[in-house]
Amino acid sequence: MSALLELRGVRKEFVIRGGALQRVVGRVNAVTDIDLSIERGRTLGVVGESGCGKSTLARVVVGLHPASGGQIIFDGKQINNATSGIDVASTRRIQMVFQDPYSSLDPRVPVGASIAEGLVVHGIGDAASQRQAVGEILQRVGLPAQAADRYPHEFSGGQRQRIGIARALILEPELLVCDEPTSALDVSVQAQILNLLRLLKKQLNLTMMFISHNLAVVRHIADDVMVMYLGHIVEVAPAATLFANPHHPYSQALLSATPVADPDQRGKRLRLAGELPSPLNPPSGCPFHPRCPLANDRCKAELPALTAVGPTRVACHAVAEGRAFSLHQAMAVQ
Amino acid sequence: MSEPILQIRNLSTVFSTRAGDALAVDAVTLDLNAGETLCIVGESGCGKSITALSVAGLVPYPGKVVGGEVLLTGADLRKMTPAETAKVRGNRLSMIFQDPSSALNPVHTVGKQIAEVYRLHKGMDAKQAEAAAVELLGAVGIPDPQRRMKAYPHEMSGGMAQRIMIAMALACQPEVLIADEPTTALDVTIQAQILELMRQLQKDFGTAIILITHDLGVVAEMADHVAVMYAGQIVEYADVRTLFKSPKHPYTQALLRSVPSMGASQDMLEVIEGRVPQLTNLPEGCLFAPRCAVRRTADESRCTTITPDLLRVGPGHHCRCWLTAPSADESSREVELV
């Protein structure tokens, strides 16, 4: 199997300007040294809390933010350059579904026009064939073809997200990047959208990058899962492995903090103290060390690299040194 | 068991709109015991937040509570004068909202806002109130409370701001706390901290909590009793174990099955077809009937003609369904949750 998407040392830095002269007052590394690859036909789930850089990463991959460094390799070819994001020919093959189906559609145009926009931009087909394509893609996402003439406000949240998916799929992309596509939806509607994405992935042989803060959703849809913290990858593993046997203390805490819909599981929680540090002023060494019960002097000084442990790759000194086993006890004592 | 601390009896709230009157809360009856947590769960638009606001007497225009009683230790909040309600709210009954950053006043320091509660309800002077506020900030786990008193809401993270809200709500050790989606805007590790804090404070003060949420995981984590709402009505009420282990109402059953599990990856999730009905255009009969998978196979004519009552189906377990509840003429007819 070959990797469809590969990132090598990708980082994204935002410059913060302030004052009357808009001088540079700070720099934020939103994502740092991201190495990943997604094989054709697989789904990579990206999880982490707000501010961990997962949405920035998605935007870098689709070219909405140019990467500040590193290589984005798509289908064997580097597609990014330092100034203008990724090259236009590749944007057609990489499409994105956004989080908020209420604000991602233009309220002033019929949804058919929004869906066809990609075809118009890339100069594909004439008006008649575009219209036909819109009708077909609407049916594929479970809406009638006539929906094309209606406006976004006439649809429910779930229907709008279907339109968002149609809009991304009309260019027949190979890679679909979904940024929290169900976070704004109710659970019963979320189930519809997740089922649709699974079905489309199978039918169209899509490769997906699926960003979410909801671990259960990622468990359901992803083949591999990547956990991010403060712009860094802390752990990557096949989904079943990560959920059964998380190595990184942060992955363990994240899994444990997620409430499960079963009253018998109540209270068995590892609880993390503190909050995510400001990315403007990141901690030295391992970004997780201020909240980590296993942190020692090495963790405070030295950034751990991703190392393989079985099928998992994890960035943690405690795991590498074999100190990580007593984590449950360590947290219970706290 | 002793008298419930809060009794909600046939509470109804109507929103008058151009499209007609919408019955957002339809004769809701619930009891809340001291030290207990009652979760109200349902999808967007099911009326759970409006129920909470109706209890607190904070329904926004054009909504209006049109009937029912809210008895706080026997006294009806709805019959009180505005001055009397003002004394109860924030003192004996207080509320936490979903978005802490918009519920706090941005132009005052958080210290001033917390101290205000003490000054209004406990008649403390500025110095005493400040000292009490500092102590309270410490109690809800804010590091360096002395310095944080001078901070403005925008200087706080979401988790911090929600701790401030909880501090304000609990300043007077209220008998009843209504929390409307208190952790929805927060990350899971912070959510775990806030839920733990609520549980701890409940233990310390014996506060009864009404927790409104759409997250069934949070319900399983926190609730003693659960009320499931659909289109303004309670469709099922039970203790938390019964509700998760043997739900009776088809809506509750479908809702539980539509949640993806962390345990294993399922192939397809169960979905509930269709959407919540518009309150100005409700279906005949059972409000859930148009989406109900059980009805489709059962061929029960009452489902689409007569609205079912909320009937007792087991000890402390009530369900509003023609198909899974006992028939209306049975002797066990014990209407509503008494």
Side-chain angles (χ1 to χ4, degrees), chain B residues 74-338:
Chain B
D76 191 350
L77 295 181
R78 289 199 56 225
K79 296 214 178 81
M80 289 181 181
T81 63
E84 286 169 331
T85 355
K87 263 191 198 149
V88 172
R89 262 204 310 259
N91 189 7
R92 298 180 56 200
L93 178 143
S94 50
M95 197 157 172
I96 308 174
F97 298 92
Q98 172 171 347
D99 184 0
S101 47
S102 65
L104 289 166
N105 189 332
V107 300
H108 294 295
T109 62
V110 297
K112 190 173 169 192
Q113 295 182 59
I114 300 169
E116 187 187 15
V117 181
Y118 284 116
R119 295 176 62 179
L120 280 177
H121 289 298
K122 299 281 180 208
M124 292 184 183
D125 64 33
K127 264 228 160 72
Q128 288 170 320
E130 199 186 311
V134 172
E135 194 177 322
L136 190 62
L137 282 185
V140 294
I142 304 245
D144 198 359
Q146 199 82 50
R147 194 172 60 84
R148 281 295 179 178
M149 287 284 285
K150 299 193 185 69
Y152 287 88
H154 75 268
E155 298 173 72
M156 307 231 141
S157 66
M160 284 287 182
Q162 197 57 287
R163 283 172 194 270
I164 303 281
M165 288 300 297
I166 292 175
M168 286 172 71
L170 294 178
C172 296
Q173 306 188 4
E175 290 142 86
V176 176
L177 174 68
I178 301 173
D180 186 3
E181 304 266 12
T183 58
T184 305
L186 306 176
D187 281 313
V188 283
T189 60
I190 308 300
Q191 165 171 287
Q193 293 171 5
I194 295 291
L195 294 180
E196 174 61 21
L197 174 67
M198 287 174 62
R199 242 191 318 237
Q200 188 57 45
L201 295 170
Q202 179 175 45
K203 213 189 279 169
D204 294 349
F205 302 143
T207 310
I209 298 178
I210 296 181
L211 178 63
I212 317 274
T213 180
H214 69 278
D215 184 334
L216 291 161
V218 171
V219 175
E221 185 72 16
M222 297 292 286
D224 296 303
H225 288 94
V226 187
V228 181
M229 286 190 76
Y230 186 78
Q233 296 180 332
I234 294 178
V235 295
E236 186 160 7
Y237 173 89
D239 66 86
V240 65
R241 270 196 65 90
T242 308
L243 191 100
F244 278 90
K245 302 296 174 188
S246 46
K248 280 273 192 276
H249 198 283
Y251 177 63
T252 314
Q253 293 169 352
L255 206 55
L256 286 169
R257 282 198 298 258
S258 68
V259 182
S261 141
M262 294 238 290
S265 176
Q266 308 105 304
D267 197 30
M268 284 287 161
L269 293 168
E270 173 147 335
V271 302
I272 307 177
E273 297 297 338
R275 54 194 284 201
V276 180
Q278 282 188 314
L279 292 174
T280 48
N281 186 20
L282 290 174
E284 285 268 316
C286 171
L287 299 181
F288 186 61
R291 302 174 74 190
C292 183
V294 181
R295 180 194 63 86
R296 258 171 251 137
T297 53
D299 189 33
E300 166 64 64
S301 64
R302 285 181 299 179
C303 288
T304 49
T305 50
I306 311 166
T307 309
D309 282 330
L310 188 62
L311 297 177
R312 185 172 180 276
V313 291
H317 190 177
H318 295 72
C319 179
R320 188 188 290 277
C321 178
W322 289 123
L323 302 167
T324 53
S327 61
D329 52 25
E330 254 177 61
S331 58
S332 72
R333 176 160 189 169
E334 194 183 332
V335 179
E336 305 294 324
L337 313 171
V338 189

Side-chain angles (χ1 to χ4, degrees), chain A residues 116-184:
Chain A
E117 197 176 1
L119 296 174
V120 174
V121 167
H122 288 274
I124 300 164
D126 55 19
S129 71
Q130 285 171 359
R131 197 175 159 74
Q132 168 128 19
V134 168
E136 280 165 16
I137 202 80
L138 277 169
Q139 282 168 343
R140 206 176 250 295
V141 298
L143 292 170
Q146 300 88 306
D149 298 324
R150 288 157 60 191
Y151 287 84
H153 75 264
E154 298 175 62
F155 297 93
S156 68
Q159 289 171 325
R160 273 185 241 196
Q161 197 53 291
R162 286 174 193 269
I163 293 164
I165 293 169
R167 187 169 192 254
L169 290 180
I170 195 149
L171 288 166
E172 298 171 15
E174 288 151 75
L175 177 69
L176 189 65
V177 178
C178 302
D179 186 8
E180 303 263 15
T182 63
S183 313

Side-chain angles (χ1 to χ4, degrees), chain A residues 229-247:
Chain A
Y229 189 79
L230 217 62
H232 294 265
I233 301 176
V234 298
E235 185 164 359
V236 197
T241 311
L242 188 107
F243 281 84
N245 186 15
H247 284 83

Side-chain angles (χ1 to χ4, degrees), chain A residues 14-28 280-281:
Chain A
F14 290 103
V15 173
I16 298 176
R17 292 172 189 278
L21 298 174
Q22 291 295 292
R23 282 188 225 273
V24 174
V25 294
R27 290 169 191 277
V28 174
L280 259 176
N281 184 19

Side-chain angles (χ1 to χ4, degrees), chain A residues 193-251:
Chain A
I193 297 296
L194 292 178
N195 285 347
L196 176 68
L197 283 171
R198 273 183 89 121
L199 186 72
L200 291 170
K201 185 192 157 193
K202 221 178 279 174
Q203 288 175 345
L204 305 174
N205 192 25
L206 288 169
T207 305
M208 284 190 352
M209 182 165 160
F210 190 97
I211 317 277
S212 180
H213 69 279
N214 186 325
L215 292 168
V217 166
V218 168
R219 174 79 185 94
H220 179 69
I221 204 138
D223 300 307
D224 302 290
V225 178
M226 174 168 122
V227 183
M228 289 185 72
Y229 189 79
L230 217 62
H232 294 265
I233 301 176
V234 298
E235 185 164 359
V236 197
T241 311
L242 188 107
F243 281 84
N245 186 15
H247 284 83
H248 198 282
Y250 178 65
S251 312

